[in-house]
Amino acid sequence: EDQVTQSPEALRLQEGESSSLNCSYTVSGLRGLFWYRQDPGKGPEFLFTLYSAGEEKEKERLKATLTKKESFLHITAPKPEDSATYLCAVQANNAGNMLTFGGGTRLMVKP
Amino acid sequence: EAQVTQNPRYLITVTGKKLTVTCSQNMNHEYMSWYRQDPGLGLRQIYYSMNVEVTDKGDVPEGYKVSRKEKRNFPLILESPSPNQTSLYFCASARGRDYEQYFGPGTRLTVT
């Protein structure tokens, strides 16, 4: 069974204090790993897709990396507007088009 | 504007009263999906559709039905809702099987 575990569940940072969110996964053949951002009361918003170990993608203050067992979302010099829940999801080769989501990390950035 | 829309956004109903939540996308996407999001359980896939007239079960399909008669629409049907279907529901669409999914704004359903 595919599993995705995100840590920490919640993270409080001061503005400008860089940190990383973790997404550990077990899947029988990874087709893709996805990162989403979700604001309260809204649908998840797509950030990145990673397909193979060693791959990295960046967008503004966010950088996603992938190994064979986990992915990290690095946040550099965060701002209060980066506060949100960050979701990780995996798509397995043998799971049709199903996405398995982790529980998310709730990030709070204080000014 | 490219978007996924859902209606209604909020719904309170009673046990056993059939309801339909509509989902529509204007991006000509082939793939559409329904999720429910519950505290402590995260997002779980209910049903998905690869194309018109092609649907398949996700993780938690019990108690739900879907149909895909047109490319742009993917309604979620609860024929006899029960309180354990109280949840936040999201519809999503994607260009195809390997592409990122775009989510709608959500429908908060309460079944009493």
Side-chain angles (χ1 to χ4, degrees):
Chain A
E1 185 180 327
D2 303 333
Q3 286 192 333
V4 181
T5 303
Q6 291 188 246
S7 62
E9 288 187 10
L11 180 62
R12 293 186 185 210
L13 299 174
Q14 288 295 131
E15 185 172 1
E17 180 186 3
S18 302
S19 188
S20 296
L21 313 183
N22 177 265
C23 170
S24 296
Y25 64 90
T26 54
V27 63
S28 51
L30 180 71
R31 180 185 293 166
L33 184 142
F34 301 81
W35 281 99
Y36 287 86
R37 168 193 171 128
Q38 186 175 24
D39 293 299
K42 295 189 176 181
E45 177 187 338
F46 171 73
L47 293 173
F48 305 108
T49 309
L50 301 167
Y51 294 104
S52 56
E55 190 175 358
E56 299 182 352
K57 288 195 177 171
E58 286 188 69
K59 179 180 180 181
E60 295 180 355
R61 294 178 292 281
L62 300 176
K63 179 180 176 180
T65 61
L66 181 65
T67 72
K68 289 186 178 180
K69 293 182 179 180
E70 57 192 350
S71 177
F72 291 95
L73 185 65
H74 307 278
I75 303 177
T76 301
K79 298 182 177 182
E81 53 262 42
D82 294 322
S83 297
T85 296
Y86 291 85
L87 301 170
C88 169
V90 298
Q91 188 177 46
N93 282 326
N94 65 349
N97 282 78
M98 278 182 51
L99 281 183
T100 301
F101 279 84
T105 293
R106 189 170 68 254
L107 174 66
M108 294 156 281
V109 182
K110 293 189 173 183
Chain B
E1 179 189 355
Q3 59 183 347
V4 178
T5 56
Q6 296 178 227
N7 281 292
R9 294 290 315 280
Y10 303 90
L11 179 60
I12 301 174
T13 189
V14 296
T15 299
K17 186 177 180 182
K18 181 179 179 179
L19 66 93
T20 299
V21 183
T22 64
C23 172
S24 183
Q25 51 93 4
N26 63 0
M27 295 170 278
N28 201 35
H29 284 171
E30 293 194 348
Y31 177 89
M32 297 186 75
S33 182
W34 275 103
Y35 296 84
R36 61 178 289 173
Q37 188 173 36
D38 302 287
L41 296 175
L43 272 163
R44 293 178 293 167
Q45 197 165 30
I46 304 171
Y47 269 96
Y48 64 90
S49 169
M50 291 289 293
N51 213 325
V52 175
E53 302 292 1
V54 180
T55 63
D56 210 345
K57 297 177 180 179
D59 261 336
V60 289
E62 296 78 20
Y64 305 94
K65 284 178 60 176
V66 292
S67 69
R68 187 94 181 271
K69 293 186 171 59
E70 305 168 277
K71 198 171 187 178
R72 62 184 295 130
N73 296 324
F74 191 44
L76 179 70
I77 303 156
L78 285 73
E79 297 219 322
S80 185
S82 62
N84 65 10
Q85 292 178 299
T86 292
S87 187
L88 180 58
Y89 290 88
F90 290 102
C91 180
S93 73
R95 218 185 320 170
R97 59 187 295 169
D98 291 331
Y99 292 89
E100 65 276 10
Q101 295 184 29
Y102 293 88
F103 285 78
T107 294
R108 186 167 291 282
L109 172 66
T110 302
V111 184
T112 61

